[in-house]
Every structure is written in C-alpha cells, then in structure tokens.
Amino acid sequence: MSNEELVALIQAGDRDRIVELWHQVQRMVYKQAARWAGLGGTTIEDMTQAGFIAVLRAVDSYDPSRGTKFSTYLFRRLRAELSAATGYSSKTSWFDPLQNAVSLDAPLTDDDDSDTFADLIPDPAAEAAIEGMDIRLGVAEVLAELPEEQRKAIRDRYWNDLQVDTRTHAAAMKRLRHPDCSRRLKAYL
C-alpha cells in the first residue's frame, strides 16, 4: 500500500495504520535524524522521536489535492521539526555542501610533499581487482594439489566451458570436497 493510501486511511479515522506508515517511512526519517543528531546537544533517539512527531503532524496536514507526494511533504515537515528540536535556525543549512567543503587536492598535513585528501579515497575497481586476484591465487593453490588430468578437467569445465570426461571430473570434485580443500575454498565465498 502506498504512503498516500495509508495517509488517506489514517485521515479517515483508521489511526492504527500510523504504525504501518511509520515502518514505510522510518528509514528516511532515521537517515535525516542521524544527520541532525548532535546539534544542540541532541541524540539520535531525540531526533527519531522528533521525526515521529513530524510524521504525525504531516499526516494531519497533508493534502493530496496539491499534487505533492507524501514523502516529499513529509521531508519538508521533517526538516522543520528537526530544526525546531535542535534550535538550529540558520538561513544557510548545515547540509549545504559548500559550507564545509574541503578541496580533494588539499594536503593532509602542512608538509609540501604530503598526501592529499584524494589519496584517501578508495578505488573500488582496484579493490575488486585485488580481491579477484586473491581468489584466483587461492583457487590455483588448491587446484595445484590435484593431478594434472583432474586439474585440466576442472579448468576446461569451469573456465573454458568445455565438455570433460565425467569420471575425471567426478574424481576432481571428490578431492575438492575433501574437508582440507573445501575449507580453504570456502574462505573465498
């Protein structure tokens, strides 16, 4: 059931549906609450409670005839409620990315030869390549313990997608299922 349908039921008097609506919007509320927590000495629990109050108030004042989705309306109401709860009422939001921006080329220390912030950003492609290499090396290490014909059968079947002798394949799989081999291979799952 959509947020808008739930709100209509709640506004029509089915107040028990507020729990169902809360479960649907709780993730968004919690994410915003976490961003505001700490301002004005507030905790995440304080902000989550303020978020729940924002949901209740948004349900009471939401008007679907204006063409706004409930989640959009709730987001605006939530920001106002969290702002009031923290006592934070600046024209420039602390969410403004330019307010606390730091250049990625800025040095980490005062040394001229120091690393920059950009050097700290992980490269997912490089990490995936390293992880893939570790897996390949681990599997190759286990396969190296098989006799040559069994090793070739495994490579041909799973790497080259070729038909292989079923007896040789079965013998290789039996060896790979041995607890010593399977334990080492499971480490890469």
Side-chain angles (χ1 to χ4, degrees):
M1 188 173 295
S2 73
N3 291 340
E4 290 76 17
E5 292 169 331
L6 281 173
V7 170
L9 290 172
I10 295 166
Q11 287 177 341
D14 191 359
R15 299 298 282 183
D16 293 336
R17 295 284 187 141
I18 194 73
V19 174
E20 190 176 343
L21 178 64
W22 171 248
H23 287 298
Q24 287 185 195
V25 299
Q26 185 176 13
R27 193 172 182 194
M28 178 185 75
V29 170
Y30 187 81
K31 185 177 178 181
Q32 290 302 313
R35 294 179 86 183
W36 285 81
L39 287 175
T42 59
T43 65
I44 187 72
E45 291 82 13
D46 296 334
M47 296 293 91
T48 304
Q49 289 177 2
F52 186 76
I53 292 168
V55 171
L56 294 176
R57 290 185 176 161
V59 165
D60 290 338
S61 60
Y62 176 68
D63 182 8
S65 67
R66 293 186 174 187
T68 306
K69 288 189 154 260
F70 179 74
S71 58
T72 304
Y73 183 78
L74 173 60
F75 183 78
R76 288 188 215 133
R77 187 71 197 206
L78 180 61
R79 289 193 61 172
E81 198 67 41
L82 294 174
S83 176
T86 59
Y88 186 83
S89 59
S90 169
K91 287 211 180 232
T92 309
S93 170
W94 71 288
F95 296 115
D96 182 359
L98 298 178
Q99 185 175 353
N100 297 315
V102 176
S103 170
L104 291 177
D105 295 326
L108 293 174
T109 63
D110 293 335
D111 299 341
D112 290 336
D113 296 333
S114 139
D115 291 334
T116 64
F117 283 103
D119 295 329
L120 298 176
I121 298 174
D123 181 359
E127 289 175 4
I130 290 169
E131 184 177 314
M133 186 60 79
D134 288 345
I135 292 170
R136 286 178 183 241
L137 290 173
V139 170
E141 183 180 298
V142 172
L143 289 180
E145 297 173 10
L146 297 176
E148 179 57 37
E149 65 181 28
Q150 292 177 4
R151 187 170 44 242
K152 183 177 180 335
I154 295 294
R155 282 193 189 117
D156 285 348
R157 170 98 187 260
Y158 296 104
W159 276 275
N160 301 327
D161 201 24
L162 299 173
Q163 293 291 326
V164 296
D165 178 55
T166 53
R167 285 182 139 178
T168 307
H169 178 261
M173 293 304 293
K174 183 176 180 181
R175 282 187 173 214
L176 292 174
R177 286 187 194 108
H178 187 275
D180 289 339
C181 289
S182 66
R183 178 180 29 83
R184 291 179 10 222
L185 290 173
K186 284 180 183 176
Y188 297 107
L189 293 178

